Amino acid sequence: MKVYLESFGCSASQASAEIMKASVERLGHELLNPVASGEAEVYICNSCTVKYTTEQKILYKIRSMGEKGVEVIVSGCMPEVQLEDILHANPEAHILGVNAVSRLGELLSSIEKRKTEGLPAGGHLELRTSEPLGFLNVPRERSNPNIHICQISQGCNFACSYCIVKHARGKLLSFPPEEIIKDIRSAVADCCREIWLTSQDDSQYGMDTGVKLPELLRMISEIPGDFKVRVGMMNPFSVLPILDELVDAFDSDKVFKLLHLPIQSASHSVLKKMNRLHKMDAVDEIITKFRARFGDLSLFTDIIVGFCDETDEDFEETVEWVKKYRPEKINISRYSPRPHTRAFSYRNLDSRISVQRSHELHKVCEQIKLGSKKEMIGWRGKAFVSKYTEMGDVLTRTDSYRPVVISGSGLKPGEYANVEITGAKPGYFLGKLII
């Protein structure tokens, strides 16, 4: 069968998509690229339900594909919390539970049997598992052959009032450290040179088992080979209990000095309404300790604007925080009410206010990025070769994960090089080799 798989959402979702693509090809089906998607006999939608706009795009796609006579499979988070919406859009859509990515082959085989035997469609099929299966040490069709996404856990033990993902993925279940180590060893043997650790919150890892994230990072750092590790998003309230050990673990040469610490808001009243279990003095402590150890640290954060009852003063607190701490990257989202969450019943702001605040914060972020980029021109230091670009150049990463593109170098992923930053583009730096 001709199969087109489209994936939405986070890096954990991307990892699941890579596993499912490998299943498609292993069973002998033809995996189509986006250009050829119109030829698909089966459409797999690896869904995300974090934002309303994404949800609506997904519902449109599964409806329109069904109307064309294409068999539709919906995986990811949406089937766990919005099954009725999916089946309303397409009553014949097949469901693959968020924990059951490894069972995609069973669904495809059932669909193929119906087609080859001329059987009627007979309604939708569902495959689910209560616990996550097949996320580690399985074949993958990687989006980039040099990057391996390793999911270290499923679920979350906290309950932010706006977050639907907790309802979709359940309570925290940390994967066994020995399985994670085996998975990364295999990826390095496959010539992957950049390892992404992903989950709903990396710093929660091991809260349910005992082997915490700092110890896991030390174990990963002992794996032989030329590779670097990118630690994914970590919430302040789960970083704080392991802060000192975590800073020590980041001191490894194999760990990028990148801190992705989502604050969502700098206003305590908004944080309380969000049920975010941290204060801004804790955020300050975390950033201060990381920057004291790693002077060239990159700071990423996530911010939600226009949350329920957010005042102008609340928003201004967030803007001032951004100006003070100057993150290299900010993921800005306008608040989107999600079903099944506590905040779904809260009073929402006028959408025009959210749009205006989003635009204002984007302007501030662009000014900060422009200033930071100018400051980096002339920088010299050692960079890690991550991957080839589409143009045949190489993308290198500084120790703090800043991207520097080098042309005509002959460098290969996994190597190190001394580089000088000579210019800046919107999403990366330009550089040259130095002797």
Side-chain angles (χ1 to χ4, degrees):
M1 295 185 297
K2 295 183 177 181
V3 179
Y4 176 55
L5 190 152
E6 188 172 23
S7 189
F8 300 84
C10 62
S11 56
S13 182
Q14 184 181 335
S16 293
E18 293 180 351
I19 293 168
M20 289 190 286
K21 285 180 178 179
S23 295
V24 171
E25 294 190 326
R26 192 169 64 251
L27 290 168
H29 302 297
E30 182 182 352
L31 189 63
L32 302 176
N33 60 38
V35 175
S37 60
E39 304 172 17
E41 298 172 80
V42 179
Y43 170 60
I44 303 172
C45 178
N46 191 37
S47 66
C48 172
T49 184
V50 170
K51 296 180 181 180
Y52 175 78
T53 51
T54 305
E55 167 207 296
Q56 291 301 300
K57 182 178 181 179
I58 288 170
L59 292 175
Y60 170 77
K61 290 296 291 281
I62 64 178
R63 180 186 299 111
S64 60
M65 283 292 194
E67 289 171 350
K68 295 175 184 177
V70 178
E71 297 277 0
V72 173
I73 297 174
V74 185
S75 60
C77 286
M78 276 189 73
E80 307 301 325
V81 287
Q82 292 176 282
L83 180 60
E84 289 184 5
D85 294 330
I86 292 170
L87 296 181
H88 179 74
N90 184 343
E92 302 298 320
H94 310 298
I95 303 301
L96 186 68
V98 73
N99 288 329
V101 295
S102 62
R103 299 184 66 186
L104 173 62
E106 296 176 42
L107 269 183
L108 291 174
S109 296
S110 296
I111 293 170
E112 187 174 34
K113 183 177 180 180
R114 286 177 174 181
K115 283 181 172 292
T116 55
E117 297 182 2
L119 298 174
H124 79 280
L125 304 170
E126 288 194 30
L127 277 178
R128 300 178 185 273
T129 58
S130 59
E131 294 189 356
L133 299 173
F135 286 85
L136 296 173
N137 299 298
V138 291
R140 297 166 184 260
E141 181 64 33
R142 296 185 179 95
S143 300
N144 187 301
N146 296 306
I147 296 176
H148 178 70
I149 306 173
C150 178
Q151 185 171 340
I152 61 176
S153 67
Q154 181 82 297
C156 175
N157 273 353
F158 298 92
C160 298
S161 65
Y162 56 83
C163 182
I164 193 172
V165 179
K166 166 63 181 287
H167 300 275
R169 296 188 180 246
K171 292 184 178 180
L172 175 70
L173 196 156
S174 300
F175 298 157
E178 60 273 14
E179 290 299 308
I180 293 171
I181 299 303
K182 181 180 177 182
D183 185 72
I184 295 175
R185 282 182 179 273
S186 177
V188 173
D190 284 345
C191 298
C192 292
R193 295 299 174 249
E194 197 170 311
I195 308 296
W196 294 2
L197 303 185
T198 188
S199 63
Q200 282 67 71
D201 178 359
D202 278 7
S203 47
Q204 283 186 49
Y205 179 80
M207 287 185 175
D208 56 332
T209 60
V211 177
K212 305 288 181 62
L213 180 63
E215 185 174 348
L216 179 67
L217 288 175
R218 284 191 286 271
M219 295 167 67
I220 294 171
S221 295
E222 293 173 359
I223 297 174
D226 296 322
F227 67 94
K228 297 278 274 188
V229 177
R230 189 187 83 169
V231 180
M233 183 272 287
M234 301 182 292
N235 278 308
F237 44 79
S238 52
V239 167
L240 205 58
I242 57 171
L243 177 56
D244 291 337
E245 296 88 348
L246 188 62
V247 172
D248 288 342
F250 263 69
D251 217 357
S252 165
D253 289 339
K254 287 186 174 176
V255 178
F256 283 116
K257 310 321 179 221
L258 166 64
L259 177 63
H260 185 176
L261 195 73
I263 65 163
Q264 305 302 2
S265 172
S267 163
H268 283 148
S269 63
V270 174
L271 289 173
K272 184 177 181 180
K273 205 168 187 69
M274 288 179 168
N275 201 35
R276 298 281 289 172
L277 305 181
H278 68 267
K279 303 285 188 182
M280 293 311 293
D281 57 351
V283 173
D284 177 77
E285 180 183 355
I286 293 167
I287 295 173
T288 298
K289 285 196 174 183
F290 266 91
R291 283 180 168 170
R293 181 74 67 91
F294 313 113
D296 198 31
L297 179 81
S298 285
L299 174 65
F300 290 4
T301 195
D302 301 351
I303 291 174
I304 296 172
V305 298
F307 190 69
C308 312
D309 294 331
E310 181 188 62
T311 65
D312 289 339
E313 291 74 20
D314 294 328
F315 175 67
E316 190 57 35
E317 285 187 66
T318 300
V319 172
E320 290 304 311
W321 184 90
V322 168
K323 290 178 179 178
K324 177 181 178 180
Y325 288 94
R326 299 171 60 83
E328 278 70 24
K329 180 179 179 181
I330 302 178
N331 300 313
I332 302 170
S333 299
R334 295 197 295 270
Y335 172 63
S336 178
R338 308 310 298 135
H340 310 293
T341 64
R342 188 190 309 175
F344 192 67
S345 62
Y346 294 171
R347 184 176 66 87
N348 296 322
L349 294 183
D350 187 315
S351 61
R352 291 171 294 183
I353 296 176
S354 298
V355 170
Q356 184 271 327
R357 289 177 181 171
S358 177
H359 287 166
E360 182 178 337
L361 187 56
H362 272 289
K363 286 181 180 179
V364 172
C365 294
E366 287 304 313
Q367 291 171 353
I368 289 171
K369 284 196 291 185
L370 183 62
S372 297
K373 284 183 179 298
K374 288 181 178 179
E375 291 171 6
M376 285 297 295
I377 294 175
W379 178 92
R380 290 184 166 207
K382 187 170 70 171
F384 179 79
V385 183
S386 172
K387 62 182 181 180
Y388 296 107
T389 70
E390 293 180 357
M391 302 300 293
D393 301 323
V394 292
L395 175 68
T396 70
R397 297 277 185 182
T398 70
D399 203 35
S400 55
Y401 204 66
R402 291 182 174 90
V404 184
V405 173
I406 309 290
S407 299
S409 65
L411 294 169
K412 297 178 181 179
E415 296 180 344
Y416 285 89
N418 291 317
V419 305
E420 178 182 348
I421 293 177
T422 58
K425 294 289 184 179
Y428 57 92
F429 294 96
L430 299 173
K432 66 179 182 180
L433 293 178
I434 57 175
I435 306 300

